[in-house]
């Protein structure tokens, strides 16, 4: 049997980049002691000649001295923190470098020097360098493959020999961490990191831990490679095809402050392609002859749905066809509104503006009255009856779209004769020309005719099976545990009828009327005798699990009252918990 060596894997990788239109130059050629040197010293990580040529080509209207000033801003450091520097340089790469120069009329003019042409990928200089020797602070390191665009090192790929017992993806990841610590200059402009053993392959950001290095299982977003198939070729084409790579840098990379430091986040393949599909679907829906139903994205819980929505908003606000749209992010709970708002605020560089939270109905009406633009967060309850804006370039993003957005038909109270409508009609009356897109973490049931009627069909699906395969979320195992509700026979018909009345296709006033019926069912579910039985079962079951497997548990209850009561029952059994 013939085993591939690390050198074989590297050659195959270089050949794959060649098929994608990248040039190749070994460091033995372009290194300081090479036959055609492009680096003057072993601590040079930027190919200055290529950068100068690219800036002249992409910015012919900018004087040479201003282009030189832009290069100085790229080469010079402003922070001792690698991540802070990476964030600063990412902004320069995406937005351009601000410069000032004297115009022909003698006035001082400001402009931007483009480092990369994102609109025309082939206008850039694409190069892969293998076995690049770097010496920094006395440390001598040689990364396997470095990807350059216009002389800037934007990707580092670490390869391992699959035939060696210790050569794993973990060892490749650890090697990258060593490089970051010992030759940090290489990573100042870094966009992505890749680990591979020739078969398995993972991609991650500068700050990602090993768990967040993920597979990239599709090139075009339509066909997903089966689990277990060779991953490297798909990842290289999926990430490094020139247009996609530049999109990933510009439109699918964010920095966020977690409180314990800055993290850099790049989209996964499922987010990248779902957003592209969603943008196209929204353009179709919002056209003059569009049906205003952009569709539904179902991405399972834990797969980054909030970031997916932010990436989508960032793409939409930049699209010329949308004419600077207003985006309304709609939730049905204040806590969800706050969570999403925090995610979008973290992505404000990406969405090119600071989002706003509507404080009241009046405030919502005020921000909707603007001519264009804006990303507005609101809950359903802040919508008022009647038209709030009739603009066409308004897009409503509904979180958990299956839950609270139904109700076109009128309901008449038999006692008062008052006519009320559900939220679907309220929304359309308030925003008659808006387009609607739904995001959900749970599948739409087959007999649910409301969600497609309100939002349209599925745009993209990323279910729990694929999320588990990718390591995006942990597997869920179901084990049935039954705690019976003791209910007299004569009560069953009445309770059944009341449960049927608990539908989401109700206006807020109808929901208020159902509170009494809900409390009856809640009292049965949360009866003291039943909760004692549930608590004893949970404690016994959890302790048996912990004896075999370390972990933690989460208990979901019907109401806050039941949560408190069940907590007290468990504490009574295990006060040391």
């Amino acid at each position: 049997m013939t085993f591939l060596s690390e050198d074989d894997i590297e050659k195959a990788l270089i050949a794959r980049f060649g098929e994608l239109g990248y040039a190749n130059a070994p460091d033995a050629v372009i290194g300081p002691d090479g036959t055609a040197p492009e680096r003057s010293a072993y601590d040079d990580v930027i190919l200055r000649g290529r950068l100068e040529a690219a800036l002249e080509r992409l910015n012919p209207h900018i004087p040479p001295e201003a282009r030189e000033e832009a290069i100085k801003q790229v080469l010079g450091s402003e922070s001792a923190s690698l991540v802070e520097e990476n964030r600063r340089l990412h902004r320069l790469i995406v937005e351009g470098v601000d410069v000032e120069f004297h115009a022909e009329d003698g006035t001082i003019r400001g402009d931007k020097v483009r480092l990369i042409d994102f609109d025309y990928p082939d206008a850039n200089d694409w190069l892969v360098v293998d076995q690049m020797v770097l010496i920094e602070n006395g440390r001598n390191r040689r990364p396997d493959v470095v990807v350059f665009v216009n002389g800037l090192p934007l990707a580092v790929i670490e390869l391992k020999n699959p035939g060696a017992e210790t050569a794993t993806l973990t060892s490749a990841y650890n090697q990258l961490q060593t490089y970051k610590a010992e030759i940090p200059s290489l990573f100042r402009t870094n966009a992505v990191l890749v680990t591979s053993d020739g078969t398995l392959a993972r991609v991650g950001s500068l700050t990602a831990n090993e768990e967040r290095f993920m597979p990239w299982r599709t090139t075009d977003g339509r066909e997903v490679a089966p689990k277990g198939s060779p991953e490297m070729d798909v990842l290289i084409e999926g990430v490094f095809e020139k247009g996609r790579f530049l999109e990933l840098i510009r439109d699918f990379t964010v920095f966020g402050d977690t409180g314990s430091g800055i993290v850099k986040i790049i989209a996964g393949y499922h987010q990248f392609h779902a957003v592209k599909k969603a943008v196209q679907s929204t353009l179709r829906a919002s056209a003059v002859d569009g049906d205003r139903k952009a569709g539904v994205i179902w991405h399972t819980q834990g797969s980054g749905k909030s970031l997916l929505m932010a990436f989508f908003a960032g793409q939409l606000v930049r699209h010329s066809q949308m004419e600077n749209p207003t985006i309304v992010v709609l939730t049905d709970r204040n806590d969800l509104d706050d969570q999403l708002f925090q995610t979008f605020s973290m992505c404000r560089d990406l969405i090119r503006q600071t989002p706003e939270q509507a404080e009241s109905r009046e405030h919502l009406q005020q921000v909707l009255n603007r001519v264009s633009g804006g990303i507005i967060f609101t809950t359903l309850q802040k919508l008022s009856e009647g038209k709030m804006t009739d603009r066409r370039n308004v897009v409503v993003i509904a979180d958990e779209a299956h839950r609270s957005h139904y109700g076109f038909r009128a309901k008449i109270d038999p006692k008062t004769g008052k006519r009320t409508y559900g939220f679907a009609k309220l929304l359309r009356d308030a925003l008659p020309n808006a387009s609607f897109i739904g995001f959900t973490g749970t599948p739409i049931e087959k007999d649910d005719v409301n969600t497609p009627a309100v939002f349209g069909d599925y745009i993209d699906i990323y279910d729990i099976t694929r999320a588990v395969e990718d390591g995006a979320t942990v597997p869920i195992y179901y084990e049935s545990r039954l705690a019976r509700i003791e209910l007299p026979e004569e009560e069953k018909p009445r309770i059944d009828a009341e449960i049927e009345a608990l539908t989401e296709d109700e206006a807020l006033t109808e929901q208020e009327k159902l509170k009494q019926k809900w409390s009856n069912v809640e009292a049965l579910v949360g009866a003291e005798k039943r909760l004692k039985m549930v608590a004893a079962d949970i404690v016994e079951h959890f302790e048996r699990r912990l004896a075999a497997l370390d972990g933690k548990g989460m208990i979901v209850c019907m109401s806050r009252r039941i949560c408190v009561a069940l907590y007290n029952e468990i504490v009574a059994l295990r006060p040391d918990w």
Side-chain angles (χ1 to χ4, degrees), residues 470-489:
D470 293 345
T473 188
V474 295
I476 297 174
Y477 301 100
Y478 175 73
E479 181 180 335
S480 178
R481 318 283 295 176
L482 183 64
R484 295 182 63 82
I485 297 176
E486 300 298 331
L487 186 64
E489 285 296 323

Side-chain angles (χ1 to χ4, degrees), residues 294 312 530:
F312 168 71
R530 182 173 184 271

Side-chain angles (χ1 to χ4, degrees), residues 481-542:
R481 318 283 295 176
L482 183 64
R484 295 182 63 82
I485 297 176
E486 300 298 331
L487 186 64
E489 285 296 323
E490 64 272 14
E491 289 290 304
K492 289 181 180 179
R494 182 175 67 84
I495 295 297
D496 286 344
E498 290 178 353
I499 289 175
E500 287 178 5
L502 291 171
T503 66
E504 289 179 331
D505 190 6
E506 301 287 346
L508 191 60
T509 53
E510 291 297 315
Q511 291 177 350
E512 291 295 328
K513 294 175 184 177
L514 292 170
K515 282 184 178 178
Q516 182 59 48
K517 298 177 182 179
W518 169 267
S519 66
N520 292 339
V521 178
E522 194 264 358
L524 292 167
V525 172
E528 182 180 1
K529 179 180 176 182
R530 182 173 184 271
L531 292 187
K532 286 182 180 294
M533 181 170 59
V534 170
D537 182 66
I538 287 174
V539 168
E540 188 269 338
H541 184 253
F542 187 57

Side-chain angles (χ1 to χ4, degrees), residues 228-366:
S229 60
E231 297 174 352
M232 189 173 79
D233 275 0
V234 175
L235 184 147
I236 295 303
E237 183 178 349
V239 172
F240 291 101
E241 186 277 327
K242 295 176 182 178
R244 274 194 291 272
F245 187 45
L246 295 185
E247 284 184 281
L248 190 65
I249 294 170
R250 182 186 63 187
D251 302 323
F252 294 92
T253 301
V254 296
F255 290 82
D257 194 339
T258 62
S260 58
I262 297 173
V263 296
K264 183 178 186 178
I265 303 169
I266 57 176
Y269 74 91
H270 59 292
Q271 295 166 319
F272 182 92
H273 289 288
V275 165
K276 292 178 71 65
K277 293 176 189 175
V279 169
Q280 292 305 310
S281 185
T282 304
L283 294 177
R284 172 199 54 77
S286 62
V288 175
D289 57 349
D291 61 4
R292 306 290 183 246
K293 300 175 185 178
V296 178
I297 289 181
W298 163 30
H299 280 206
T300 192
Q301 301 285 354
S303 62
K305 180 164 60 75
S306 297
L307 275 169
L308 171 69
M309 295 162 73
F311 289 137
F312 168 71
Q315 287 269 281
L316 214 57
V317 297
R318 291 183 62 253
H319 205 288
S320 59
Q321 188 175 321
M322 293 304 300
E323 299 175 343
N324 192 17
T326 297
I327 296 176
V328 179
V329 184
L330 202 58
T331 65
D332 59 0
R333 298 207 313 267
N334 286 330
D335 55 343
L336 286 179
D337 190 60
D338 292 340
Q339 290 169 20
L340 271 177
F341 181 75
Q342 289 169 8
T343 299
F344 273 64
S345 296
M346 181 181 75
C347 301
R348 57 185 174 273
D349 289 347
L350 187 72
I351 59 180
R352 276 75 174 177
Q353 56 198 290
T354 300
E356 299 177 73
Q357 264 183 312
E359 298 169 1
S360 63
R361 287 181 178 176
E362 293 72 25
H363 184 213
L364 178 60
Q365 178 69 71
Q366 178 185 339

